[in-house]
Amino acid sequence: RLYEQAATIAEDVGSARLASQAYGYLGELYADEGRRAEAERLLRKAVFLARAAGADELLYRWQWRTGRLQAAAGQHAVAIDTYREAVATLQRVRPQMDVGLHRQRGSFHETTGPLYYELADLLLRHGGANHRRETIAFSKLRQAAMERAGVEGAQIGHVTFGHVINTEPRDMYLSRAAAIEDALARAGALAKLS
């Protein structure tokens, strides 16, 4: 009830940011209570208001929560797209958030890291239809990283990707995806040689 009152007051004073917070938190509460349809409606409103306010630090959170609802409902392709939007939004505000996390409790791994893990999990479990596009994107990412580092691929012997010591099962997904993509790229190169 308090979130509903806060949303009404925020709209009355014309604060899209505060209204987005109220609707978003109410949507999260409804999602936790299993009221999916109401949660989605409120989160859509929160996303709209966060965009209107230019509040990316709120927007990524509401996109993320919406993606979770979509994934839980079995709408995997839509959920993957929504998670990607959340990641893109987070990337815009992450430098400011990283500074804030040093002053507050928590770390990237605890606060926003799960967004990346959940997206990786969705892609590994349900991203088959997008596999070709993902392979191309991963190749571009790998090339960009080598260019940024100023090294050629032949200069790289071994690479450690992800966590050296996995503390949770989900920590293994990133290195697994990298290994699969590397194996596919090598197989493609060998096929061209034969």
Side-chain angles (χ1 to χ4, degrees), residues 6-53:
T8 302
I9 292 169
E11 286 183 339
D12 288 346
V13 298
S15 176
R17 177 184 295 276
L18 292 177
S20 175
Q21 285 180 300
Y23 286 120
Y25 289 128
L26 186 58
E28 286 185 332
L29 181 66
Y30 282 9
D32 291 342
E33 292 175 354
R35 298 164 66 178
R36 184 176 175 270
E38 293 167 288
E40 280 189 23
R41 181 184 57 80
L42 291 166
L43 287 167
R44 274 194 305 274
K45 196 165 192 174
V47 164
F48 174 80
L49 290 165
R51 281 191 177 119

Side-chain angles (χ1 to χ4, degrees), residues 164-188:
V164 175
I165 299 173
N166 296 312
T167 56
E168 299 180 42
R170 68 182 183 191
D171 291 344
M172 293 180 271
Y173 286 115
L174 293 175
S175 57
R176 179 178 168 201
I180 290 169
E181 296 300 332
D182 182 57
L184 291 172
R186 288 178 189 221

Side-chain angles (χ1 to χ4, degrees), residues 79-135:
I80 288 169
D81 289 340
T82 304
Y83 267 87
R84 285 184 171 139
E85 289 176 17
V87 167
T89 303
L90 176 59
Q91 290 302 105
R92 291 193 298 265
V93 294
R94 189 166 162 204
Q96 296 89 354
M97 291 181 68
D98 286 345
V99 170
L101 287 174
H102 291 298
R103 284 187 246 138
Q104 297 176 355
R105 66 187 181 344
S107 66
F108 169 76
H109 181 74
E110 297 165 335
T111 57
T112 56
L115 169 60
Y116 294 93
Y117 291 124
E118 291 169 22
L119 175 57
D121 184 57
L122 272 172
L123 289 169
L124 289 170
R125 293 176 189 266
H126 307 285
N130 297 322
H131 182 72
R132 174 98 174 110
R133 189 171 68 203
E134 293 302 317
T135 301

